Amino acid sequence: MDSNPSSDTDASTAGGAGTGPDVPFLTGRTALVTGAASGIGRSCALALAAAGAHVLVVDRAAAATRATAEEIGGTACVVDLADPDAVDALPADADVVVNNAGLQHVAPLHEFPPDTFALLLRVMVEAPFRILRRTLPHMYAHGWGRVVNISSVHGLRASPYKAAYVTAKHALEGLSKVTALEGAPHGVTSNCVNPAFVRTPLAEEQIADQARAHGMPAEDVVRRVMLERPAIKRLIEPEEVARAVLWLCGPHTGYLTGASLPLDGGWTAH
């Protein structure tokens, strides 16, 4: 068995973080979470802060970003991820990066607005790339880092009317795997979490969009469209996704990298 001394068997002792059974395992770490003012991102920010991390709360919703940062003792970074210059000005000293921010547009491919397609890829692919390009040198220098990309079941499967979202999530999967391969010699892991439909403001928007696209009431969208393919017939709660993210940043996942973790209720088991 390889006993490489640089292998990460206990994240609480790598790279200068706090130690001891009563010290939260991310004490001394800085975590950057995008889309952190609501939904999955906010739940991730709260979970990482509870585990001891100082959280950089990144979102374009100024009031909610500042309120979340104040609640957890973090730092508010009011940034529009569609602005490359603003993304490049984000702090570079993150030990943990959670690329979560996303948006959705539902339309048939032949009617899909090219500007909207480009916007989704800019926020959901280019911004994560730019963030990692800035933060990986810090992680490499300290011999430890965790990258968690909030992908989707749509990073593994396609659905109609979601050309930009499905394309962006598949691209994020590829970026995550390249990060895993390049980061491995430096103690940095990179993984995706792939939820099905989560109970978030974005999901509420999707329900309305799908209702229009399919010509059915919103309650039927949840039952007949969103919950058609999962075996578990309920929406996922944001806190469930956050727990998976926290686990991937924990002390016993240093050998897990380049993976995609389906939280899809059995969707991809078909």
Side-chain angles (χ1 to χ4, degrees):
M1 179 179 295
D2 185 359
S3 58
N4 182 352
S6 66
S7 65
D8 179 16
T9 57
D10 186 352
S12 66
T13 61
T19 60
D22 298 324
V23 178
F25 66 86
L26 289 177
T27 297
R29 307 290 190 196
T30 297
L32 186 154
V33 183
T34 67
S38 66
I40 294 171
R42 174 178 161 80
S43 291
C44 289
L46 268 61
L48 291 164
H54 179 84
V55 180
L56 305 174
V57 180
V58 180
D59 205 295
R60 66 178 182 175
T65 300
R66 295 188 179 106
T68 299
E70 182 176 357
E71 178 180 349
I72 62 175
T75 299
C77 301
V78 180
V79 171
D80 183 353
L81 295 179
D83 179 353
D85 291 336
V87 176
D88 287 345
L90 284 168
D93 60 346
D95 306 291
V96 174
V97 168
V98 180
N99 287 310
N100 163 74
L103 61 158
Q104 179 64 281
H105 184 81
V106 178
L109 183 60
H110 64 283
E111 298 175 1
F112 211 100
D115 288 348
T116 303
F117 187 93
L119 173 64
L120 264 70
L121 265 67
R122 197 157 60 246
V123 171
M124 298 165 65
V125 182
E126 182 178 345
F129 158 74
R130 288 179 176 274
I131 289 169
L132 292 174
R133 184 174 179 272
R134 285 180 54 76
T135 56
L136 283 174
H138 169 82
M139 298 183 197
Y140 291 175
H142 289 81
W144 190 92
R146 293 290 179 268
V147 177
V148 184
N149 299 296
I150 306 301
S151 180
S152 166
V153 68
H154 284 113
L156 306 173
R157 299 288 188 272
S159 291
Y161 309 116
K162 297 181 178 181
Y165 190 85
V166 171
T167 299
K169 291 302 188 183
H170 274 69
L172 185 63
E173 295 277 332
L175 178 63
S176 182
K177 289 177 173 63
V178 171
T179 305
L181 296 178
E182 294 188 12
H186 306 280
V188 176
T189 66
S190 176
N191 295 285
C192 288
V193 176
N194 301 72
F197 292 103
V198 185
R199 194 186 305 278
T200 65
L202 179 60
E204 296 298 328
E205 294 175 12
Q206 291 184 61
I207 291 169
D209 288 342
Q210 290 280 355
R212 287 190 292 270
H214 293 279
M216 65 175 68
E219 57 270 22
D220 287 347
V221 170
V222 175
R223 180 174 56 86
R224 294 172 53 189
V225 178
M226 290 186 162
L227 299 182
E228 176 188 7
R229 281 171 281 191
I232 299 174
K233 301 299 183 182
R234 66 173 177 83
L235 299 178
I236 307 167
E237 300 301 328
E239 294 78 10
E240 294 178 271
V241 182
R243 291 188 195 106
V245 171
L246 192 62
W247 177 72
L248 287 170
C249 298
H252 303 297
T253 53
Y255 201 72
L256 177 58
T257 196
S260 300
L261 179 63
L263 292 179
D264 62 359
W267 182 328
T268 54
H270 288 285

